[in-house]
Amino acid sequence: MRKPFVAGNWKMNTDGHGAVKLAEEVVAGCGETAGHKVDVAVCPPFVYLQQVGKALHSSHIALGAQDVYFEQKGAFTGEISAAMLKDTGCTYVICGHSERRHVIGETDELINKKVKAALAGGLLPILCVGELLEQRKANKTTDVVTRQMKEGLAGFSAEKVEAVTIAYEPVWAIGTGLTATPEQAQEVHALIRGLLTEMYGKKLSNEIRIQYGGSVKPDNAGELMGQEDIDGLLVGGASLKADDFAAIVKAAV
Ligand code: PEP
């Protein structure tokens, strides 16, 4: 059985004080549910990782980063390596979030290098895939998600892929209040599971967790999690409210 996995992506929000307060409230709100019945992570901005890590210290909530650079060290001004993230206490790292793909302009090739670097550095990557609204309307969802999966995971052995979580995040549902229906989400999750079977075999594809992300709220989390191939949730806006995030974590069990 795949253990549910809920992660909060705080994006470019909070300040130092607010980040610590939010982390403490998330710890209190999730209680014993986190770690035992569901894996939980929060991904604050880079500059607050250490402070948030301290606030999570005695909990079962893991620390994650929102991005990583693929080089190990050197003249890459402004970038952060996997080793640095590991050093600050990170377990997870989000790779290829749609805002990085579509606002910053990251390509599948770059994202592949980031996933590779994350794994080499001992981090657990969350690889995000998902189509734009115009791509869905043009019936291109399967093509887009297939390309992002194949290029994002290009060159990985089954052994490596085991450590990766996939997050299906339809771009039209991110931060818009529009959620994919559970059926729409399940359809793409089943496609992703099928691709994983094709690429790595049935045993492995049954083990890899696939999160859904896109305007997840306490009132839709349970229904989404009820779908066969939805194993967790990647939560943006609602992860900034401890009560909502804790309710989502509890709904994921
Ligand atoms: C996200 O940032 O990954 C996300 C899904 O955002 P939201 O929950 O706000 O749609």
Side-chain angles (χ1 to χ4, degrees), residues 30-234:
C30 290
E32 290 298 297
T33 313
H36 297 292
K37 296 182 179 158
V38 44
D39 287 335
V40 180
V42 294
C43 305
F46 285 136
V47 288
Y48 305 131
L49 280 169
Q50 276 184 321
Q51 283 157 273
V52 169
K54 277 191 196 144
L56 298 177
H57 191 61
S58 58
S59 78
H60 290 101
I61 298 177
L63 188 65
Q66 299 173 19
D67 188 30
V68 62
Y69 196 56
F70 65 87
E71 295 284 2
Q72 289 180 11
K73 63 177 184 174
F76 305 103
T77 303
E79 296 295 348
I80 309 281
S81 71
M84 289 169 180
L85 295 179
K86 194 77 189 159
D87 202 27
T88 57
C90 284
T91 301
Y92 295 96
V93 61
I94 300 172
C95 298
H97 188 277
S98 75
E99 285 144 21
R100 298 212 60 89
R101 288 179 188 268
H102 300 293
V103 181
I104 316 285
E106 291 193 1
T107 61
D108 286 308
E109 194 190 348
L110 175 61
I111 293 161
N112 175 261
K113 287 185 185 169
K114 291 187 171 193
V115 177
K116 212 169 270 174
L119 286 170
L123 296 166
L124 303 176
I126 302 173
L127 170 63
C128 300
V129 299
E131 80 287 2
L132 295 162
L133 184 58
E134 58 264 34
Q135 293 168 330
R136 174 161 280 260
K137 284 187 175 159
N139 287 322
K140 294 268 191 277
T141 301
T142 299
D143 294 351
V144 171
V145 171
T146 302
R147 190 204 70 229
Q148 291 173 338
M149 283 289 295
K150 294 209 164 159
E151 295 188 14
L153 296 177
F156 293 127
S157 63
E159 199 186 301
K160 291 270 181 213
V161 166
E162 216 173 352
V164 178
T165 297
I166 308 294
Y168 169 57
E169 300 208 298
V171 184
W172 48 273
I174 298 181
T176 58
L178 288 175
T179 318
T181 64
E183 293 74 25
Q184 282 175 321
Q186 167 57 27
E187 194 181 3
V188 183
H189 280 239
L191 163 76
I192 293 170
R193 184 94 52 214
L195 288 167
L196 289 168
T197 305
E198 206 179 279
M199 293 157 77
Y200 300 104
K202 188 103 192 126
K203 188 176 173 295
L204 198 81
S205 79
N206 270 333
E207 284 166 12
I208 293 181
R209 295 185 290 193
I210 309 173
Q211 296 176 317
Y212 167 80
S215 298
V216 175
K217 303 276 181 293
D219 60 1
N220 59 24
E223 212 185 348
L224 286 158
M225 284 301 294
Q227 301 298 307
E228 192 181 338
D229 289 296
I230 300 185
D231 311 313
L233 302 162
L234 182 52

